[in-house]
Amino acid sequence: MRRTADAWLNRYRPVRAPRLRLVCFPHAGGAAGVFRRWTEELPPDVELVAVQYPGRQERFDEPCVEDMTTLADRITDALTSVLDRPVALFGHSMGAAVAYEVTRRLEARRLARPVHLFVSGAVSPLEPRQRRDLHLRDDDGMVEGLTELGGMDEAVLADAELLRLVLPCVRADLRLIETYRPAHLPSLATPVTAYTGTADAHVPREGAAAWRDLTSAEFNLRVFPGGHFYLIGQEPEVVGDVCTRLALR
């Protein structure tokens, strides 16, 4: 089991001298593998680096991180090994907030200025969140709430033993994002693009658009058809838009 900084970073298609690295952050309860298919859509000289939080897949035996400060600090430290090339960051749902916190640490520590930050399926931290109680519910109530969002794998739901194993990790992630209340939100120097789904009741267009107030650089908003997990099944369209905004094609 990996215990170094590399444990945080999965590269499914390593590139010897990438033009750019796209660092991707999963949603609550998600793992690095949700971005594996993206490698098929990226140009061959772009390397995808998928962040693997503790407590899942090959890091299953490690304790989950339950507070944003610790998680963002550790990921920032791990990323120092890949900052020899330009980087862009993409985060979905909880991952959007983590990607924002990592971006501001990269800037504040003068480690790097990412060329772009993509925040998907998340309202701006400046906006009040509609729901902050999923991590407080019993297992059935938590699963019900996540199922409404479309965030539970059907195969996991159908396997009671597997569900029992993954729920502690899901609860820890939900505790992290639902208790995330940053006291200070500095404006980034990094350009930001926000993505949301047309049918995502938890991330209305105006909530996604509020990310514009967290950057002094260019801001864009793109709305895709679908709900909270609009990006599943639309990888070519989402990755295509990312590549266009990064001038990779």
Side-chain angles (χ1 to χ4, degrees), residues 40-80:
E40 302 169 10
E41 306 297 334
L42 289 169
D45 60 352
V46 174
E47 185 174 68
L48 184 138
V49 179
V51 174
Q52 187 73 293
Y53 309 134
R56 63 216 76 197
Q57 292 185 340
E58 69 273 12
R59 304 188 71 185
F60 182 77
D61 66 335
E62 298 178 55
C64 296
V65 179
E66 299 186 7
D67 70 277
M68 181 66 81
T69 298
T70 300
L71 184 64
D73 283 345
R74 291 181 181 176
I75 295 172
T76 302
D77 291 342
L79 284 178
T80 58

Side-chain angles (χ1 to χ4, degrees), residues 7-242:
W8 292 89
L9 309 178
N10 280 13
R11 285 179 264 195
Y12 299 113
R13 190 198 65 193
V15 179
R16 181 181 295 274
R19 176 173 31 151
L20 176 140
R21 290 188 172 104
L22 179 63
V23 183
C24 295
F25 298 74
H27 58 278
V34 300
F35 295 107
R36 184 186 292 270
R37 287 187 58 189
W38 284 36
T39 60
E40 302 169 10
E41 306 297 334
L42 289 169
D45 60 352
V46 174
E47 185 174 68
L48 184 138
V49 179
V51 174
Q52 187 73 293
Y53 309 134
R56 63 216 76 197
Q57 292 185 340
E58 69 273 12
R59 304 188 71 185
F60 182 77
D61 66 335
E62 298 178 55
C64 296
V65 179
E66 299 186 7
D67 70 277
M68 181 66 81
T69 298
T70 300
L71 184 64
D73 283 345
R74 291 181 181 176
I75 295 172
T76 302
D77 291 342
L79 284 178
T80 58
S81 65
V82 298
L83 297 179
D84 59 316
R85 301 284 171 169
V87 295
L89 281 66
F90 180 102
H92 181 69
S93 198
M94 179 188 88
V98 181
Y100 163 75
E101 288 290 342
V102 171
T103 298
R104 73 185 188 94
R105 283 163 171 76
L106 291 174
E107 289 188 358
R109 298 182 193 177
R110 298 184 179 180
L111 294 171
R113 179 180 294 177
V115 299
H116 213 102
L117 169 64
F118 297 89
V119 287
S120 167
V123 298
S124 163
L126 296 169
E127 295 288 293
R129 293 175 58 87
Q130 296 181 14
R131 174 179 285 175
R132 289 189 179 274
D133 70 332
L134 283 183
H135 75 283
L136 298 173
R137 299 183 185 184
D138 62 20
D139 286 351
D140 289 342
M142 186 173 66
V143 169
E144 180 182 0
L146 289 171
T147 303
E148 291 174 2
L149 287 172
M152 291 299 294
D153 189 312
E154 292 295 329
V156 175
L157 290 173
D159 187 329
E161 181 62 19
L162 180 57
L163 185 63
R164 182 185 67 81
L165 290 173
V166 303
L167 282 182
C169 171
V170 174
R171 188 178 298 280
D173 284 358
L174 289 172
R175 182 178 295 111
L176 181 149
I177 192 59
E178 291 183 346
T179 59
Y180 171 56
R181 295 178 177 83
H184 178 53
L185 290 167
S187 182
L188 301 175
T190 299
V192 175
T193 294
Y195 293 149
T196 188
T198 54
D200 189 346
H202 299 283
V203 186
R205 186 186 183 102
E206 59 271 20
W211 282 97
R212 68 164 55 92
D213 297 322
L214 286 175
T215 181
S216 60
E218 181 182 358
F219 174 82
N220 290 283
L221 173 67
R222 171 76 188 270
V223 181
F224 286 89
H228 188 63
F229 285 91
Y230 71 88
L231 68 175
I232 298 176
Q234 294 193 87
E235 288 87 354
E237 293 79 9
V238 176
V239 178
D241 194 82
V242 169

